[in-house]
Amino acid sequence: MRLVALASLLLAVAVSALGNSQQGFNSELSFDEYTEQSLLWAPYRPNCYFGIRPRNVDQSPFMLGIMWFDNSDASGLSRIRHFVEQGDKLQKYGWEVYDPRVGGREVIIDEANNLNLTIYFTKSHNGENWAVRVHGEPLDPERGSAASVVVYFNQNGQDGQSRLKKIVGDDSGKMLFHGVSKELGEYQLTVRDNFGSYYSDPGLPTMEIVPGCDSSKTAHLSMTVPDENVWMARDVFLSILSDSVKQIVEEKGAEAVNPSLFPSTFTIRNLYDFPAGNFHYLQKSFDNSSPEGFEFDIIYNALDTKERITSIGDVANLISGTINHVETKFAELFALEPKGEQYHSFALETLSNLLGGIGYFHGTQLVDRVTIFDDEQFEEVKLQHATEEGPLSLFTSVPSRAFFPRGFYWDEGFHLLQIMEYDFDLAFVICSSWFDLIEADSGWIAREVILGDEARSKVPEEFRVQNPNIANPPTLLLAFSEMLDRAIKNQESSALEFPGPVDDEITAQKQTSQLENNPDLLLKYAERIYPKLLKHYNWFKTSQKGLIEEYEEILEDEGILEKVHQEEAYTWRGRTINHCLPSGMDDYPRPQPPDVAELNVDALAWVGIMTRSMRRIAHVLSLKDDEAEYQKIENNIIENLDLLHWSEEHRCYCDITIDSLGDGRAFVCHEGYISLLPFALKLVPLDSPKLKHILSLMSDPEGIFSEYGLLSLSRRDEYFGTAENYWRGPVWLNINYLCLDALTYYFPAVVSGAAEGLSPEESQAKQLFVSLKESLVNNVFKNWEERGYCYESYDQYTGKGKGIEHFTGWTALVVNIMGNK
């Protein structure tokens, strides 16, 4: 069920929160109406450096993308930019200021193409219309390059009603298009130059090397591209252009290699006399020797709207308002430590790039429902019986636009913990989109949601197929229960009343936290989704259930069989000898060799937090019997963590298996994140004597404490830094964030100013909290300052960012760590 389907449920509780007068949304809009208007348009194609599509428009969406290259160089085509690729080795790319509800500013520094590109996206006050401003400047005006920017757009829809045609075009670069979408209605698209000179050589009588190839003019090609292939715009462009260049060389000979005519040679034309269609290329080749650069606007106006964007001034004013809105709102919501302009820029840019990774995906997914895992086979997981299912839709943020531009189940919960601090309602909309994917019969959600060919094109083939037996840590319920907690606290405080007309920014915050401040809306959704969540909960427990019966004689010999809750023991299905991808911590050391009797402490802990989340949901829905049942299960899990997985010898939580002789329980202890997870998820009782051992584990400079954050694996472990070294030492922000949060839960004094009168454990916890927070912030900031990006993880020896760069998924939690009000 899409969020829009909630309208009938929520009519009676339409919110009277004031609208954001700066952005112009109607102050009387209900939650659904405001959501649909403010989140309809955005750059929802995060795999592209810049790509637009509408949200919740699936049959006839308008699609747009931007590409660029230097066409003054014969090798320029090898440097064409379209999809975000680490191999492009750009000096910088990403959003400096961004909010999907209003827009922002993206900056791209491309040294190989000698281009400093700034792309602005902004919307009309009602959210129906939008504008893109493309501003480019040469990095070095003396290089004599050309900046060839290619804009492509398509009106999808094979219904016979959807169309997009050029109606006006002139030599000034202005073009006007008329479009019709079955879902969006009629609209007008205007592309207009603001300033800049097209590439030409004054020493030549003409730049037109053959008809249609003239770099001194905007080139336009209209054709038909099947909807499912629009994402291949770069490949289609290169194919047509390569054929054109080949023909020019054959026809013109030496003249074709005149460097002054290269930009014309590398200009697209209608080589094959394609009839006009709904797909359009516009290619603008600017002379990149002027320090002032160039600029042009792309403006979309729905024809039935009252508020149109018509002039250069309109676009400029909207951009100014957009940037001011985001910067002011951010400053109001986050009280950053340390302070300073650079830290502020770092935090705002990091959050903006998390928000800039939000995408809307629609299409089929590949599912293998045939393969059943052999509990005796751990060599390799092969999913060879894939079928296409769907189509489905998903509104989600992504871990990294360059490498992971798709939905990841366990990442998304961490993303939402950050997003809800800036825009509570946006986090809810994303969370509900994920819950819509819960299968009605089985309760399954795929661990990676890869919808359609565009998304699949960025995924190695071996990871494209999903299987209903493979799970991932259920962080989405962690985030959703946090949302409910916050909303209910507001309700119980009885202190919330909407004021009269006040400051624009306070108003803006109310408009994006309607659910937090009006729990009735959130509770109605929770009531509607509860049956699905229950199925999901039961699917998780059933699919990952461990074989505790293998331990019956052993536990009886140990005298604890009667104490152990045999129904609460879990293992990760789908692990192999070297990897446990379902756990999220792929290469973290596990029992060797794998065995059918293996029980994983983190699997049990995640079921514990899932149960706690379900208990909280049942509580707010007044489902007393369900709440009591969840409380019982939660208590049993907490007891089992100690009974089954706590090793007195190692003084930490461990996986277990049956020893090689088959007559005893073997603790497989690898001090690190797995050992900490029961603490990080707040499943250790507040009065537990084990807390002091966990504190010691986290504080040990010879173990997992480092000047860069908590290491994923202890330095003393035999696997530390070995093989792939993915989760075997490097610092990861998501688990560090959970540990910091848990420290404030178990030891509230860590965030108080008092330093006297603390117990030894409180003093140790306070020292750990302060030093850990400082280490994490300083190191992530240092990498950003020196290299321009956040990273997937950070090296255990040097603190240098490693893995995927521009990883502003859960690494963006550093902004929460720096402080929110």
mmCIF file of all heavy atoms in Angstrom, residues 695 699 743 746-747 749-750 759-771:
data_model
loop_
_atom_site.group_PDB
_atom_site.id
_atom_site.type_symbol
_atom_site.label_atom_id
_atom_site.label_comp_id
_atom_site.label_asym_id
_atom_site.label_seq_id
_atom_site.Cartn_x
_atom_site.Cartn_y
_atom_site.Cartn_z
ATOM 1 N N LEU A 695 32.398 -2.393 29.221
ATOM 2 C CA LEU A 695 33.114 -1.120 29.270
ATOM 3 C C LEU A 695 34.610 -1.334 29.091
ATOM 4 O O LEU A 695 35.287 -0.601 28.360
ATOM 5 C CB LEU A 695 32.859 -0.413 30.596
ATOM 6 C CG LEU A 695 31.696 0.572 30.680
ATOM 7 C CD1 LEU A 695 31.632 1.184 32.075
ATOM 8 C CD2 LEU A 695 31.829 1.658 29.633
ATOM 9 N N SER A 699 37.034 0.035 26.060
ATOM 10 C CA SER A 699 38.050 1.019 26.459
ATOM 11 C C SER A 699 39.475 0.532 26.266
ATOM 12 O O SER A 699 40.421 1.310 26.443
ATOM 13 C CB SER A 699 37.847 1.394 27.945
ATOM 14 O OG SER A 699 36.547 1.871 28.179
ATOM 15 N N LEU A 743 25.842 4.027 25.482
ATOM 16 C CA LEU A 743 26.540 4.605 26.640
ATOM 17 C C LEU A 743 25.666 5.642 27.338
ATOM 18 O O LEU A 743 25.630 5.714 28.569
ATOM 19 C CB LEU A 743 27.863 5.231 26.203
ATOM 20 C CG LEU A 743 29.025 4.262 25.947
ATOM 21 C CD1 LEU A 743 30.189 4.981 25.285
ATOM 22 C CD2 LEU A 743 29.475 3.602 27.251
ATOM 23 N N TYR A 746 22.897 3.553 29.303
ATOM 24 C CA TYR A 746 23.330 2.841 30.503
ATOM 25 C C TYR A 746 23.976 3.770 31.532
ATOM 26 O O TYR A 746 23.923 3.506 32.736
ATOM 27 C CB TYR A 746 24.308 1.731 30.126
ATOM 28 C CG TYR A 746 23.647 0.548 29.456
ATOM 29 C CD1 TYR A 746 23.766 0.340 28.088
ATOM 30 C CD2 TYR A 746 22.886 -0.356 30.187
ATOM 31 C CE1 TYR A 746 23.161 -0.746 27.462
ATOM 32 C CE2 TYR A 746 22.272 -1.448 29.582
ATOM 33 C CZ TYR A 746 22.405 -1.635 28.218
ATOM 34 O OH TYR A 746 21.795 -2.701 27.608
ATOM 35 N N PHE A 747 24.587 4.835 31.049
ATOM 36 C CA PHE A 747 25.307 5.749 31.944
ATOM 37 C C PHE A 747 24.910 7.195 31.596
ATOM 38 O O PHE A 747 25.668 7.906 30.930
ATOM 39 C CB PHE A 747 26.816 5.562 31.810
ATOM 40 C CG PHE A 747 27.273 4.150 32.016
ATOM 41 C CD1 PHE A 747 27.529 3.326 30.921
ATOM 42 C CD2 PHE A 747 27.413 3.606 33.286
ATOM 43 C CE1 PHE A 747 27.944 2.015 31.097
ATOM 44 C CE2 PHE A 747 27.821 2.291 33.474
ATOM 45 C CZ PHE A 747 28.088 1.485 32.376
ATOM 46 N N ALA A 749 25.090 9.823 32.978
ATOM 47 C CA ALA A 749 26.030 10.851 33.424
ATOM 48 C C ALA A 749 27.042 11.228 32.351
ATOM 49 O O ALA A 749 27.698 12.262 32.452
ATOM 50 C CB ALA A 749 26.768 10.379 34.681
ATOM 51 N N VAL A 750 27.152 10.404 31.295
ATOM 52 C CA VAL A 750 28.177 10.689 30.280
ATOM 53 C C VAL A 750 27.880 11.980 29.536
ATOM 54 O O VAL A 750 28.785 12.610 28.981
ATOM 55 C CB VAL A 750 28.337 9.525 29.268
ATOM 56 C CG1 VAL A 750 28.678 8.237 29.978
ATOM 57 C CG2 VAL A 750 27.099 9.375 28.395
ATOM 58 N N SER A 759 30.457 7.170 40.021
ATOM 59 C CA SER A 759 31.045 5.887 40.370
ATOM 60 C C SER A 759 32.205 5.596 39.424
ATOM 61 O O SER A 759 32.323 6.239 38.361
ATOM 62 C CB SER A 759 29.995 4.781 40.244
ATOM 63 O OG SER A 759 29.658 4.585 38.878
ATOM 64 N N PRO A 760 33.073 4.653 39.773
ATOM 65 C CA PRO A 760 34.183 4.319 38.859
ATOM 66 C C PRO A 760 33.714 3.932 37.465
ATOM 67 O O PRO A 760 34.327 4.327 36.474
ATOM 68 C CB PRO A 760 34.866 3.143 39.576
ATOM 69 C CG PRO A 760 34.556 3.356 41.027
ATOM 70 C CD PRO A 760 33.177 3.934 41.050
ATOM 71 N N GLU A 761 32.615 3.175 37.390
ATOM 72 C CA GLU A 761 32.109 2.779 36.075
ATOM 73 C C GLU A 761 31.568 3.974 35.307
ATOM 74 O O GLU A 761 31.767 4.100 34.097
ATOM 75 C CB GLU A 761 31.027 1.700 36.226
ATOM 76 C CG GLU A 761 31.602 0.342 36.591
ATOM 77 C CD GLU A 761 30.521 -0.721 36.727
ATOM 78 O OE1 GLU A 761 29.373 -0.459 36.291
ATOM 79 O OE2 GLU A 761 30.807 -1.799 37.261
ATOM 80 N N GLU A 762 30.882 4.884 36.017
ATOM 81 C CA GLU A 762 30.368 6.084 35.355
ATOM 82 C C GLU A 762 31.505 6.954 34.847
ATOM 83 O O GLU A 762 31.436 7.507 33.743
ATOM 84 C CB GLU A 762 29.478 6.875 36.310
ATOM 85 C CG GLU A 762 28.130 6.230 36.577
ATOM 86 C CD GLU A 762 27.328 6.995 37.614
ATOM 87 O OE1 GLU A 762 27.943 7.516 38.570
ATOM 88 O OE2 GLU A 762 26.087 7.067 37.466
ATOM 89 N N SER A 763 32.554 7.079 35.638
ATOM 90 C CA SER A 763 33.705 7.872 35.212
ATOM 91 C C SER A 763 34.368 7.253 33.989
ATOM 92 O O SER A 763 34.758 7.953 33.043
ATOM 93 C CB SER A 763 34.725 7.979 36.356
ATOM 94 O OG SER A 763 34.191 8.691 37.447
ATOM 95 N N GLN A 764 34.502 5.926 34.000
ATOM 96 C CA GLN A 764 35.082 5.241 32.847
ATOM 97 C C GLN A 764 34.215 5.422 31.598
ATOM 98 O O GLN A 764 34.729 5.677 30.503
ATOM 99 C CB GLN A 764 35.257 3.752 33.160
ATOM 100 C CG GLN A 764 35.953 2.974 32.046
ATOM 101 C CD GLN A 764 36.062 1.479 32.356
ATOM 102 O OE1 GLN A 764 35.409 0.976 33.278
ATOM 103 N NE2 GLN A 764 36.889 0.774 31.603
ATOM 104 N N ALA A 765 32.902 5.303 31.803
ATOM 105 C CA ALA A 765 31.983 5.459 30.676
ATOM 106 C C ALA A 765 32.030 6.881 30.128
ATOM 107 O O ALA A 765 31.999 7.092 28.907
ATOM 108 C CB ALA A 765 30.562 5.104 31.106
ATOM 109 N N LYS A 766 32.098 7.871 31.008
ATOM 110 C CA LYS A 766 32.135 9.273 30.576
ATOM 111 C C LYS A 766 33.403 9.550 29.777
ATOM 112 O O LYS A 766 33.363 10.188 28.719
ATOM 113 C CB LYS A 766 32.059 10.207 31.775
ATOM 114 C CG LYS A 766 31.919 11.682 31.398
ATOM 115 C CD LYS A 766 31.755 12.537 32.633
ATOM 116 C CE LYS A 766 31.514 13.987 32.272
ATOM 117 N NZ LYS A 766 30.200 14.215 31.658
ATOM 118 N N GLN A 767 34.526 9.050 30.274
ATOM 119 C CA GLN A 767 35.792 9.240 29.565
ATOM 120 C C GLN A 767 35.752 8.560 28.190
ATOM 121 O O GLN A 767 36.200 9.117 27.185
ATOM 122 C CB GLN A 767 36.945 8.691 30.393
ATOM 123 C CG GLN A 767 38.311 8.881 29.738
ATOM 124 C CD GLN A 767 39.440 8.318 30.594
ATOM 125 O OE1 GLN A 767 39.221 7.899 31.728
ATOM 126 N NE2 GLN A 767 40.649 8.315 30.056
ATOM 127 N N LEU A 768 35.185 7.358 28.162
ATOM 128 C CA LEU A 768 35.072 6.633 26.898
ATOM 129 C C LEU A 768 34.175 7.387 25.928
ATOM 130 O O LEU A 768 34.518 7.541 24.739
ATOM 131 C CB LEU A 768 34.515 5.232 27.159
ATOM 132 C CG LEU A 768 34.191 4.384 25.918
ATOM 133 C CD1 LEU A 768 35.444 4.115 25.098
ATOM 134 C CD2 LEU A 768 33.524 3.066 26.334
ATOM 135 N N PHE A 769 33.044 7.863 26.411
ATOM 136 C CA PHE A 769 32.102 8.574 25.545
ATOM 137 C C PHE A 769 32.740 9.814 24.931
ATOM 138 O O PHE A 769 32.652 10.038 23.714
ATOM 139 C CB PHE A 769 30.862 8.969 26.347
ATOM 140 C CG PHE A 769 29.839 9.738 25.560
ATOM 141 C CD1 PHE A 769 28.884 9.078 24.801
ATOM 142 C CD2 PHE A 769 29.831 11.130 25.569
ATOM 143 C CE1 PHE A 769 27.931 9.782 24.069
ATOM 144 C CE2 PHE A 769 28.895 11.839 24.839
ATOM 145 C CZ PHE A 769 27.943 11.168 24.086
ATOM 146 N N VAL A 770 33.379 10.614 25.760
ATOM 147 C CA VAL A 770 33.978 11.862 25.278
ATOM 148 C C VAL A 770 35.082 11.596 24.265
ATOM 149 O O VAL A 770 35.133 12.204 23.195
ATOM 150 C CB VAL A 770 34.523 12.694 26.467
ATOM 151 C CG1 VAL A 770 35.333 13.890 25.965
ATOM 152 C CG2 VAL A 770 33.379 13.163 27.355
ATOM 153 N N SER A 771 35.967 10.654 24.589
ATOM 154 C CA SER A 771 37.095 10.382 23.686
ATOM 155 C C SER A 771 36.636 9.703 22.406
ATOM 156 O O SER A 771 37.149 9.989 21.312
ATOM 157 C CB SER A 771 38.145 9.523 24.399
ATOM 158 O OG SER A 771 37.594 8.306 24.855
#
